Amino acid sequence: MIPKDVFEQTLLGFFSPVRAFLDDDSVTEIMINGPSRIYVERRGRIESTSAKFASGHDLLSALRNLAQYVGRPFDERRPILEAHMPDGSRVEAVMAPAATDGPTVSIRRFYREALTAEKLVAFGTISRDALALLQALVAGKQNIIVAGGTASGKTSLLNVISSYCDPLERIVVIEDSRELQLQQEHVVHLESQPGDEKGRGQITIRKLFQASLRMRPDRIVVGEIRGSEALDLIQAMTSGHGGCMSTVHATHPADTVSRLETMALMSDVALPLHALRAQVASAVSFILHATRLPDGGRVVTSIAEVVGYEPDRGYQIEELYKSELRREHGKVASRLVPTGFLPRCAPYLEALGQRLPAAMLEAAARRRRHAGGAA
């Protein structure tokens, strides 16, 4: 049997045309559109490179070695590969017949140095007082969904807010491919596995989620909800498993609950739509929404509370923080400001010793004074 470190170095040798990008901290994504068209993303901008593989065969050999490294099938009958490089970088690869122009690969860089709350503030991703709110919500074991589009920074945000979990808690993390970098000591990582050509040996996110409920978790963190496992997450959130966190692809906070609803309907459980919507509204406490700006910057544009669901009005969502966009020095800048609404769980958080940020309380006082004056 080949030693692991030797296997890793051999694998990286196959990827030598893009090795420099894997070691470059300014690169966030490597996109390989066939052997001779390779692009990278730096600071949110995509740029072409002169790097190339000698041939399509060389690129395919690299991918097949990667598939062997992670123990996943990758051939003409199963032409999609979800994997990770030795450093943890996430890989999504597609080959023929699904990829008509040759093997296509996206490598999302894995950062050895974990992103911190201080760095998010320095980058302008989120305000310090909004982070203080999130810290209180996590300590209060509220269920939080991090939503946003592709490459909007959802995973990075989830990493940061998970750092507010009690270090003594037992956290079960479920992912398709390991990306989350939780800093707590008592963390259990579970990773889904594909089946063979007949589906044998498949371990889905949903199966892992169901297993995790019997593993005495204090919290369950799902890297990304993409299918019927949404129903299991919703039901866990409404049955005493507080403090759950996950990410979802969604354009706006209101779209997030609709997406969860749609994915829950993919399950084999026949649940009346009105009952499902009531469960979604009860399960999801808060939505943290991230957006990628035109210049490539990633910012939090909303922190919203799911207040409830009414049949004649739909989901009731109240924004606690929202982004004010403006133009500065020829670029789009975002400023996250409190709306004046306070979370319904504020008395509970206060009882736990969690203080809401001063800026939020001041905005709420201004709103009350304005409402009183208007009356």
Side-chain angles (χ1 to χ4, degrees), residues 99-118:
T100 57
D101 295 327
T104 301
V105 190
S106 290
I107 304 175
R108 176 71 57 85
R109 283 286 319 286
F110 177 86
Y111 290 98
R112 298 170 183 84
E113 184 179 353
L115 195 62
T116 63
E118 288 299 321

Side-chain angles (χ1 to χ4, degrees), residues 78-265:
R78 290 153 295 180
I80 299 175
L81 173 67
E82 293 183 356
H84 54 80
M85 299 293 286
D87 68 349
S89 294
R90 186 188 71 191
V91 180
E92 188 78 15
V94 184
M95 65 177 290
T100 57
D101 295 327
T104 301
V105 190
S106 290
I107 304 175
R108 176 71 57 85
R109 283 286 319 286
F110 177 86
Y111 290 98
R112 298 170 183 84
E113 184 179 353
L115 195 62
T116 63
E118 288 299 321
K119 288 182 180 178
L120 285 183
V121 173
F123 294 156
T125 301
I126 191 170
S127 65
R128 197 176 298 278
D129 58 298
L131 273 174
L133 169 64
L134 292 172
Q135 184 171 6
L137 296 178
V138 172
K141 300 198 76 170
Q142 302 298 299
N143 296 319
I144 301 174
I145 299 293
V146 181
T150 301
S152 59
K154 297 185 297 298
T155 301
S156 296
L157 284 168
L158 185 55
N159 270 324
V160 169
I161 66 172
S162 70
S163 69
Y164 296 136
C165 297
D166 189 314
L168 298 179
E169 290 180 337
R170 174 176 168 84
I171 305 172
V172 178
V173 180
I174 304 170
E175 298 179 89
D176 272 323
S177 184
R178 186 165 173 173
E179 281 187 278
L180 293 173
Q181 303 176 59
L182 272 67
Q183 304 304 306
Q184 286 77 6
E185 180 180 346
H186 198 167
V187 178
V188 176
H189 288 275
L190 304 178
E191 192 172 311
S192 66
Q193 299 295 321
D196 61 16
E197 67 274 12
K198 295 183 178 179
R200 294 173 299 194
Q202 183 184 28
I203 305 173
T204 63
I205 290 286
R206 189 175 186 192
K207 287 180 181 178
L208 291 175
F209 192 91
Q210 292 167 348
S212 73
L213 297 175
R214 295 186 175 91
M215 298 179 73
R216 201 262 177 228
D218 288 309
R219 292 181 193 264
I220 301 172
V221 179
V222 182
E224 181 183 348
I225 293 292
R226 296 195 291 185
S228 60
E229 67 273 8
L231 181 60
D232 299 282
L233 179 64
I234 290 163
Q235 293 185 334
M237 287 176 168
T238 56
S239 60
H241 286 82
C244 292
M245 291 183 269
S246 187
T247 71
V248 169
H249 280 266
T251 309
H252 300 288
D255 295 334
T256 304
V257 284
S258 296
R259 282 270 296 150
L260 286 170
E261 174 190 308
T262 300
M263 290 186 289
L265 289 171

